[in-house]
Amino acid sequence: MNALFPDGFRWGAATAAYQIEGAAAEDGRTPSIWDTFSRTSGTVRNGDTGDIAADHYHRVREDVALMKELGLTDYRFSLSWSRVQPTGRGPVNQKGLDFYRGLADELLDAGIRPVATLYHWDLPQELEDAGGWPERETAERFAEYAGLAAEALGDRIATWTTLNEPWCTAFLGYGSGVHAPGRTDDAAALRAAHHLNLGHGLAARALRAAVPASAELSLTLNLHSIRPVSSSPEDADAARRIDAVANRIFLDPVFHGRLPADLVEDTTGITDWAFVRDGDLEVISTPIDSLGINYYTPTVVGAGVSESPSPYPGAPDRVRFEPAPGSRTAMDWPVDADGLHELLVRLRDELPGVPLMITENGAAYDDYADPEGAVHDPERVAYLDAHLGAAHRALADGVDLRGYFLWSLLDNFEWAYGYGKRFGIVHVDFASQRRTPKDSARWYAEVIRRGGLAR
Ligand code: IFM
């Protein structure tokens, strides 16, 4: 019997501005931290940058036509802040807004719901020069930008997501430094996490004031599905520590209006959290309509010492990371669909009444076009089938799961890995910009058509 999903389930694919758009210096866009970072020697493999990427800025029509062919009901994309508001403060750039207006119109004409993320890691460089996310002002600027985007595009966007994966912004960007802006300062990373939360809350309020009541507000987190290596109290405590600094640092302020007490305790010696002001947690817990979850692989931990530099403040000398068993993707990430099911069931219990969306899930493999021009990617099909299967089991277990966005529509700029890692269900030949749907694209189109998995 097939594993069918409920009527109205949203079938999507996701992308992000810097990873696909290109046109980095066109029509008034100014540099973001990723333009600067990717130009810094030794930061991105091969010296790759997002200057051209998948040239989506010039190929919107072709790309939306592909989405229509696949039968997507929803498309999740992000706005480049420095394209919309070049200096990160003050007036908008009309041409930048026109681009997103045009994209939304193409989508609506194709019968696809536009799902817009305001921040997918590309802070305008001017705001980083003024201190970046560790500074409170960045949260205020973010709310201003959210209000401007909402006023201009509010009649066209079905779902607004404030932030994508603030954990990565805070801890990879300001902690371990493997992402832009490449800073390595644990205290700054924790300040950044709080100001990202605050920016989310302020932006949610600005959006609510400007968009139609029918628009949904959301936040996307890359929640960690954490497993202790054993049931020993020491390993359980290692798992608790990572849960605090990876999951509850966002979930507790946003959904419960509080900071996790154990996180504050674990990070004594790094910060006293004095940057959290009266009223902040109330703003951060402004109600939203759904939570987006990005899941790729589980996190297995035990008591011990982690490799350095660790992106988890307060954990390096207490927690070691172990590889999960199983096959690996080209990112060397273990494939483990049960981790997705575990996460969804946890959220069902911890956040009753909060609808969930899987806003990213997918895998990189070393795909290539064969002499006939076809791209066969059976491992990706197996990965997606297993994870959609886990999502289906979660629905049967009472999880209020509303949709699934596969990462990613197109091969793209995979941050510090450059163009070497291909996550797309559509192959992009970056020399010619030719798009070729992989076998997984055809498989996904069939899943959408059927409304679920063949079993
Ligand atoms: O490519 C990224 C995306 O930008 C954010 N989530 C994880 C993906 C794969 O690494």
Side-chain angles (χ1 to χ4, degrees), residues 14-17 19 76 120-121 164-165 168 179 220 222 294-296 331 333 359-364 407-408 412-415 417 421 423:
T15 63
Q19 293 181 271
R76 174 176 181 251
H120 196 123
W121 305 353
N164 178 72
E165 302 183 355
C168 295
H179 277 189
T220 279
N222 57 316
N294 294 354
Y295 173 83
Y296 291 89
M331 300 292 281
W333 294 347
T359 38
E360 284 183 29
N361 175 243
W407 184 271
S408 181
N412 58 50
F413 175 80
E414 177 53 26
W415 309 112
Y417 295 89
K421 304 292 176 198
F423 273 91

Side-chain angles (χ1 to χ4, degrees), residues 47 78 87 195 212 263 269 295 325 385 387 417 419 434 441 445 448:
S78 81
T87 58
H195 294 133
L263 170 71
Y295 173 83
D385 187 272
H387 286 76
Y417 295 89
Y419 295 99
R434 180 151 185 263
I448 298 173

Side-chain angles (χ1 to χ4, degrees), residues 63-126:
D63 290 342
V64 174
L66 266 169
M67 298 177 212
K68 189 174 177 184
E69 233 176 271
L70 294 175
L72 299 188
T73 64
D74 292 50
Y75 172 55
R76 174 176 181 251
F77 59 96
S78 81
L79 270 55
S80 153
W81 185 347
S82 66
R83 201 184 284 293
V84 168
Q85 192 190 29
T87 58
R89 59 182 93 235
V92 293
N93 170 29
Q94 198 50 50
K95 285 192 171 161
L97 280 174
D98 288 348
F99 169 71
Y100 294 110
R101 235 184 231 137
L103 167 61
D105 285 345
E106 285 290 328
L107 291 168
L108 292 169
D109 285 351
I112 300 170
R113 294 172 79 256
V115 174
T117 300
L118 284 167
Y119 187 75
H120 196 123
W121 305 353
D122 43 358
L123 189 69
Q125 184 59 45
E126 288 206 23

